Amino acid sequence: MLMPSAKPLGELENPAEFIARHIGIDEADEAHMLSVVGSASRRALIDGIVPRSIARSSAMAIPTPVTEAAALKQLKAMAAKNQVLKSFIGQGYYGTLTPGVILRNILENPAWYTAYTPYQAEISQGRMEALINFQTMVCDLTGMPVANASMLDEATAAAEAMTLAKRSVKSKSHVFLVAGDCHPQTIEVIQTRAKPLGITVKLSTAATTLPMLMAEGDYFGVLAQYPATTGSIHDLRPLAGQAHVDGAALCVAADLLALTLLTPPGEWDADIVLGNTQRFGMPMGNGGPHAAYLACRDEFKRSLPGRLVGVSVDTHGQPTYRLALQTREQHIRREKATSNICTAQVLPAVIASMYAVYHGPQGLKRIAERVAAYTAIFVQGLKTLGYQITNTGAFDSVTVKTGDATNLIADRARLAGANLRFRLKNHLGVSLDETTSRKDIELLWSFFAQPGQTMPVVSAFEKGIESLIPADLRRSSDFMTHPVFNTHHSETGMLRYIRMLSDKDLALDRSMIPLGSCTMKLNATSEMIPITWPEFANIHPFAPHEQLQGYAELDKQLRDWLCQATGYAGISLQPNAGSQGEYAGLLVIKAWMEANGQGHRNICLIPSSAHGTNPASAQMAGLTVVVTACDAQGNVDMADLKAKCEQHSDRLACVMITYPSTHGVFETQVKELCALVHSHGGRVYVDGANMNALVGVAAPGEFGGDVSHLNLHKTFCIPHGGGGPGVGPVCVVADLVPFLPGHATAGLPVNGVGAISAAPLGNAAVLPISWMYCRMMGPEGLQQATEVAILSANYISARLKDHYPTLYASANGHVAHECILDLRPLKETSGVTAEDVAKRLMDYGFHAPTLSFPVPGTLMVEPTESETLAELERFIHAMIAIREEIRLVEKGTWPQDNNPLKHAPHTAASLLGADWDRPYSRETGAFPLATLKQVKYWPPVGRVDNVYGDRNLFCSCVPVSDYAT
Ligand SMILES: *Cc1c(COP(=O)(O)O)cnc(C)c1O
């Protein structure tokens, strides 16, 4: 009898188990796929694709992988090094209570967080309704007619307000006036943004002294905060009239919760209103992510930056949401774009809007009145303790004169587990919020009381108290009167409203989203779990550094690993989207040039195939964009690049390339390209959005890049969130490290570039996602992910080659991690466009690949490593079946203007109506593949009429959804 032989434990333990969970392709699949693409091994395939000249010299020095449970445990230990104190700091970040129904069903729900930006309107109606609720909420609270669907943070929103004012007003001045009692981080970011644009920022001591600067008459815009960072509520009404007389715009940074009680800026003729929505249910998260907002007067709406959801109609005449106007404007207007914002803060905007839907106008007002009442009581008590506050009026924040006792009181508070605002000379700031209780007020008094002093006795706790809001600035107008804000106040109702909206949408939890350049890969649940841990979520970004040790360690480790992945020497995680990383990186180059006596260099060469954010960022950085050509193979035209380098040699600042290219090809001459630019004294910016084809295989910092940004929301697994949040780290070679963005407001040194985000660590609270990914994958897992991503793209290209040719490939016929399918010839033979195919894919249950970028009339497919072979095959079958349908049009079986492609997507209502006079069956419309009969996603609306929507811009009012009526 054979005894079962004991296996060595090493075979039973599997610290790398996550790798096979993240990567959808197993060994058998891989062997099959390799045979289809004609490679003997994965190694051979990669060697044949990645140019030898750029292959990594060494493996990444990243710790070997650990299991999901072990990684969570390690991260928990790191999180425990953050000290969670009760925050009374304010300064733009407040405690908030995320309603459980929103926390679980949106923030923790992949149906919401794995969705893509709603470019394909028909399969994005749910999140666009949530976003139009957001826009409506902002319009109603600010009193403005138009608001966009989110900004990156309050400080960058203020900077965008400045440039929006600059392009919209009559004044030709280059001076922007800013009240000194705006949040310091807002002022800092405005200063960073103003400099390269040649805008002079003039600061007044406070909003009250702005009229003195305005009297000089030389300004195009003015910014004040309402309430001010000190807590004071200034009467800003006279500023609007004066600004308009001077041909300038009044921008107001306003707190939305305060606006439930304050006369909104729109009622006193402000031109632009901006702010944050963090306290509407998003935890402070050490500074982000949160949705900021930007609203403007009607005349400015066509140059409003960011995305704007509007209402149009579908082919059946039904009201339908879609992204309006400037949505893709960087791709169209390039260096003339109004802003570089691409990824914004959709998920946090959805959460803020749902917070407003759930609480309704009465609920919001009750919260605000409670906060205002506690503030008044707190002040009353402070006065009996002998303190003076320096405010004129108050909503939730006060500045207390503490003189010599300042440090003592702040320390006492800290010992008791509370942070006061301490970076004010001889004063302490105290801000209250939704989470404040009576106990907190008593606790606060105890910090200020002298030993032995009797504590205030306040009858107001029972009786109520008049708030400190100035009588003539109290709001009298209604807001949020639309039914959507007055219906879903029970948890059952709210749960179903959220579910109803998510059911309308197609996210990664239903099918692959093969979007080229966007890298929609697995966002693993264990990566997502830590983001709501209180040790990460309930942290104020301007808390004392010693309380943020867990975040400091997270920052350090992640930067070390990303340096390994990219070959760069230094990284800043401050930029909160790829576009912001681009902008920061270009500023770093400029700062280095200036420090080296080359400040006159201002030309930025950008190939015509570049992503639209590249030229838009270059313009914002004050660089002059010169476009260089691409050759017939889609590669950078080296001859043209050489000629332009020579032509602009003494003024060349940099070139911005994407690698592998946006055409999905590893260009073999990239090293020569970098050397050429360097020989002319320029620096090389490598757009890192395509790092999913490089990690572990080649490193831009090694092959000649000087600066890159990464998109952690692409390559490093932060979910797309329906259009944000993102993280766009800026990575640089050694000599540029000293110039990386600093953050004076947070007490971090500024040597080269000042703050580019409101918070020093940008969207800090989502960094655990990328940390978990790297920790569980380890160096070999990360490299394998890259290689499988490349294999999968080549597999799709090979499987579809007889149906849709791949437009660009390297000499041996291979692509990188994505492939561009050329559909342009079909237009000629069948009248079918790439857009028709994109819409028809919805009937098959898929989100379309990237449509018409970078080449019009094409689809760019990026499968990523996370999809299984079965899912790749499902997509391939759909694409082939659609090609067969096109053949029937080519043959004349179906007319060119009356076929399932032109009528796609098919709604249930359109198929089940009484009349049916089309040349194809209802079944062909709905179930082109038999498998769809079991699981079917029904697009809720038919094809959207974009032209109608742009002509009849209608963005700030919610048509009642079917459900709400
Ligand atoms: C996504 C992308 C960007 C912009 O990144 P955001 O995070 O959306 O701002 C820039 N370049 C390329 C090639 C991209 O794919």
Side-chain angles (χ1 to χ4, degrees):
M1 199 178 101
L2 275 172
M3 292 295 288
S5 58
K7 285 186 184 158
L9 269 181
E11 277 179 33
L12 300 177
E13 295 161 346
N14 185 11
E17 68 183 14
F18 179 74
I19 298 176
R21 292 176 184 164
H22 176 82
I23 297 178
I25 304 299
D26 66 20
E27 262 177 64
D29 298 337
E30 185 174 307
H32 166 70
M33 291 162 71
L34 285 166
S35 73
V36 171
V37 303
S39 288
S41 67
R42 199 169 80 214
R43 183 76 278 123
L45 174 76
I46 300 303
D47 286 348
I49 291 176
V50 181
R52 192 136 307 169
S53 58
I54 65 161
R56 281 188 77 98
S57 52
S58 57
M60 298 179 287
I62 293 175
T64 55
V66 296
T67 61
E68 293 171 69
L72 283 168
K73 202 167 160 208
Q74 286 182 11
L75 191 59
K76 192 79 186 176
M78 193 191 289
K81 296 178 190 169
N82 289 328
Q83 293 171 40
V84 185
L85 274 67
K86 173 102 192 164
S87 177
F88 297 98
I89 298 173
Q91 200 183 331
Y93 304 92
Y94 307 89
T96 180
L97 300 169
T98 315
V101 64
I102 296 174
L103 174 73
R104 176 150 297 181
N105 297 290
I106 296 183
L107 186 55
E108 298 177 343
N109 181 353
W112 287 94
Y113 67 69
T114 69
Y116 181 61
T117 305
Y119 292 136
Q120 296 293 336
E122 298 83 357
I123 55 179
S124 315
Q125 291 295 301
R127 54 194 185 277
M128 284 204 280
E129 176 159 330
L131 291 175
I132 214 157
N133 291 346
F134 178 88
Q135 293 173 184
T136 308
M137 162 191 97
V138 171
C139 287
D140 281 14
L141 288 171
T142 58
M144 301 300 285
V146 185
N148 73 9
S150 75
M151 300 293 283
L152 291 164
D153 59 35
E154 177 163 340
T156 56
E160 297 275 359
M162 168 178 75
T163 51
L164 172 59
K166 182 89 185 75
R167 34 177 204 275
S168 307
V169 298
K170 281 210 203 79
S171 166
K172 294 279 165 278
S173 169
H174 295 285
V175 176
F176 189 62
L177 307 179
V178 178
D181 54 0
C182 292
H183 292 317
Q185 68 272 22
T186 301
I187 297 171
E188 192 178 351
V189 170
I190 285 177
Q191 283 166 331
T192 305
R193 285 277 189 102
K195 191 177 158 218
L197 297 174
I199 294 172
T200 305
V201 176
K202 281 196 188 163
L203 281 178
S204 72
T205 48
T208 42
T209 53
L210 275 172
M212 272 144 65
L213 292 178
M214 292 168 80
E216 294 169 22
D218 176 20
Y219 65 100
F220 69 85
V222 48
L223 171 71
Q225 195 178 302
Y226 184 64
T229 193
T230 54
S232 287
I233 303 173
H234 301 303
D235 185 354
L236 304 174
R237 290 174 296 188
L239 301 184
Q242 187 56 48
H244 296 154
V245 168
D246 296 332
L250 173 62
C251 311
V252 179
D255 180 281
L256 287 188
L257 190 62
L259 289 184
T260 63
L261 306 180
L262 292 176
T263 312
E267 288 178 19
W268 32 269
D269 219 13
D271 301 280
I272 302 171
V273 185
L274 62 107
N276 199 353
T277 66
Q278 179 265 321
R279 70 191 315 172
F280 281 22
M282 274 303 280
M284 291 182 285
N286 192 22
H290 322 123
Y293 73 85
L294 186 61
C296 66
R297 63 187 318 121
D298 199 62
E299 299 91 291
F300 293 0
K301 70 183 171 200
R302 285 180 196 263
S303 67
L304 184 66
R307 295 189 175 115
L308 188 63
V309 178
V311 182
S312 186
V313 292
D314 72 358
T315 44
H316 314 295
Q318 299 298 311
T320 306
Y321 307 109
R322 96 293 177 239
L323 290 176
L325 293 176
Q326 50 273 78
T327 294
R328 307 220 86 177
E329 70 128 25
Q330 296 124 19
H331 288 288
I332 300 159
R333 302 195 59 208
R334 318 286 294 180
E335 69 275 11
K336 292 187 192 66
T338 49
S339 153
N340 66 344
I341 293 191
C342 183
T343 294
Q345 298 277 18
V346 170
L347 193 69
V350 168
I351 288 168
S353 82
M354 290 296 182
Y355 179 94
V357 166
Y358 196 38
H359 286 295
Q362 272 77 34
L364 291 185
K365 224 167 149 172
R366 184 167 57 241
I367 294 169
E369 283 173 345
R370 188 174 74 225
V371 171
Y374 278 141
T375 305
I377 294 171
F378 172 58
V379 168
Q380 199 177 65
L382 269 187
K383 286 189 176 155
T384 69
L385 290 172
Y387 287 92
Q388 265 186 309
I389 64 161
T390 60
N391 291 48
T392 44
F395 162 61
D396 64 347
S397 302
V398 291
T399 305
V400 191
K401 211 167 182 179
T402 41
D404 295 342
T406 304
N407 288 344
L408 186 82
I409 297 170
D411 290 346
R412 218 185 271 153
R414 251 171 244 165
L415 273 179
N419 283 323
L420 310 182
R421 185 167 171 188
F422 59 94
R423 288 194 182 97
L424 304 166
K425 216 173 146 208
N426 293 325
H427 292 79
L428 284 169
V430 177
S431 282
L432 307 184
D433 57 48
E434 184 190 2
T435 69
T436 307
S437 65
R438 294 183 190 193
K439 268 214 161 71
D440 291 325
I441 303 297
E442 287 167 350
L443 184 69
L444 282 166
W445 284 329
S446 74
F447 308 147
F448 288 88
Q450 312 284 343
Q453 202 176 7
T454 31
M455 293 288 287
V457 184
V458 178
S459 56
F461 274 149
E462 309 308 330
K463 286 208 307 250
I465 189 169
E466 190 69 19
S467 84
L468 301 176
I469 295 172
D472 58 341
L473 288 173
R474 292 188 188 175
R475 180 169 192 144
S476 57
S477 54
D478 285 343
F479 55 88
M480 286 166 40
T481 53
H482 190 280
V484 78
F485 299 113
N486 296 281
T487 305
H488 314 294
H489 298 165
S490 76
E491 183 166 328
T492 306
M494 189 66 192
L495 178 70
R496 291 184 187 146
Y497 181 60
I498 292 171
R499 174 64 192 255
M500 185 271 294
L501 293 185
S502 60
D503 273 353
K504 291 185 175 187
D505 288 11
L506 199 68
L508 270 179
D509 63 333
R510 288 195 208 243
S511 77
M512 74 188 284
I513 301 188
L515 280 160
S517 211
C518 301
T519 315
M520 299 289 287
K521 63 203 266 180
L522 172 72
N523 317 114
T525 309
S526 45
E527 292 158 4
M528 294 299 292
I529 282 173
I531 68 167
T532 46
W533 287 348
E535 302 92 320
F536 285 132
N538 298 342
I539 299 282
H540 193 289
F542 303 128
H545 296 299
E546 64 271 14
Q547 293 173 19
L548 306 179
Q549 291 310 304
Y551 264 116
E553 202 172 313
L554 176 70
D555 176 34
K556 169 84 173 62
Q557 283 189 9
L558 190 55
R559 282 188 292 117
D560 284 350
W561 299 345
L562 295 175
C563 278
Q564 287 296 320
T566 55
Y568 284 109
I571 291 183
S572 163
L573 301 176
Q574 195 182 121
N576 43 23
S579 62
Q580 307 302 295
E582 291 175 22
Y583 174 69
L586 293 171
L587 289 189
V588 167
I589 292 176
K590 277 190 70 155
W592 179 88
M593 294 275 171
E594 273 157 32
N596 287 277
Q598 302 287 308
H600 60 283
R601 289 181 177 266
N602 68 341
I603 300 284
C604 177
L605 301 181
I606 301 182
S608 58
S609 62
H611 193 269
T613 51
N614 291 186
S617 299
Q619 174 276 127
M620 287 169 58
L623 296 166
T624 302
V625 174
V626 173
V627 179
T628 74
C630 289
D631 66 17
Q633 283 78 50
N635 297 325
V636 173
D637 182 333
M638 283 297 279
D640 188 50
L641 186 81
K642 189 153 185 269
K644 295 209 161 110
C645 280
E646 278 160 14
Q647 186 189 343
H648 301 289
S649 187
D650 54 341
R651 285 180 55 218
L652 182 65
C654 57
V655 62
M656 281 184 104
I657 56 165
T658 303
Y659 202 80
S661 75
T662 51
H663 288 158
V665 177
F666 279 95
E667 289 157 296
T668 52
Q669 293 185 328
V670 66
K671 261 193 129 153
E672 290 80 349
L673 186 156
C674 296
L676 172 71
V677 173
H678 290 152
S679 75
H680 287 278
R683 308 297 304 241
V684 178
Y685 188 103
V686 181
D687 181 323
N690 288 344
M691 272 305 287
N692 214 43
L694 293 181
V695 177
V697 170
E702 282 181 5
F703 64 67
D706 297 299
V707 185
S708 287
H709 76 268
L710 301 175
N711 302 69
L712 298 192
H713 47 299
K714 294 177 181 172
T715 314
F716 292 91
C717 298
I718 293 176
H720 201 77
V727 177
V730 51
C731 321
V732 299
V733 290
D735 66 330
L736 298 179
V737 173
F739 301 92
L740 283 170
H743 207 290
T745 305
L748 304 178
V750 175
N751 300 315
V753 177
I756 52 121
S757 297
L761 209 50
N763 281 340
V766 290
L767 295 173
I769 301 168
S770 298
W771 187 94
M772 284 292 290
Y773 174 59
C774 294
R775 193 69 198 86
M776 297 187 296
M777 293 292 276
E780 63 268 47
L782 291 171
Q783 180 176 346
Q784 192 182 329
T786 302
E787 296 182 357
V788 173
I790 293 174
L791 171 61
S792 293
N794 279 279
Y795 180 72
I796 286 185
S797 174
R799 289 277 279 114
L800 290 178
K801 72 173 187 305
D802 297 334
H803 310 279
Y804 308 92
T806 291
L807 186 55
Y808 300 118
S810 53
N812 60 8
H814 288 316
V815 296
H817 65 311
E818 59 196 7
C819 59
I820 298 179
L821 304 179
D822 191 2
L823 279 69
R824 293 170 303 181
L826 301 177
K827 178 96 199 286
E828 193 72 15
T829 58
S830 66
V832 171
T833 63
E835 187 179 20
D836 297 330
V837 173
K839 302 303 176 192
R840 184 62 173 149
L841 273 167
M842 297 169 183
D843 290 331
Y844 285 78
F846 282 103
H847 189 296
T850 299
L851 175 62
S852 289
F853 172 78
V855 184
T858 64
L859 291 175
M860 181 155 66
V861 183
E862 180 180 355
T864 83
E865 71 280 6
S866 297
E867 296 303 334
T868 60
L869 179 56
E871 183 69 358
L872 298 183
E873 283 298 326
R874 202 169 71 87
F875 175 71
I876 288 164
H877 278 133
M879 288 298 288
I880 293 174
I882 291 173
R883 185 66 188 90
E884 294 307 327
E885 292 176 347
I886 298 170
R887 278 198 189 98
L888 292 179
V889 182
E890 288 171 334
K891 278 200 260 168
T893 312
W894 292 329
Q896 290 207 353
D897 61 350
N898 190 6
N899 57 62
L901 288 125
K902 287 292 172 195
H903 290 300
H906 293 81
T907 61
S910 73
L911 289 162
L912 296 174
D915 319 315
W916 184 259
D917 55 3
R918 296 191 186 159
Y920 57 94
S921 70
R922 289 174 154 112
E923 190 157 356
T924 300
F927 305 120
L929 294 177
T931 47
L932 290 164
K933 289 184 185 167
Q934 275 143 49
V935 187
K936 171 73 182 171
Y937 163 77
W938 288 100
V941 296
R943 199 169 312 181
V944 174
D945 185 340
N946 281 314
V947 177
Y948 176 91
D950 279 346
R951 255 190 234 131
N952 305 280
L953 194 58
F954 187 70
C955 322
S956 53
C957 185
V958 200
V960 182
S961 75
D962 305 343
Y963 184 83
T965 44

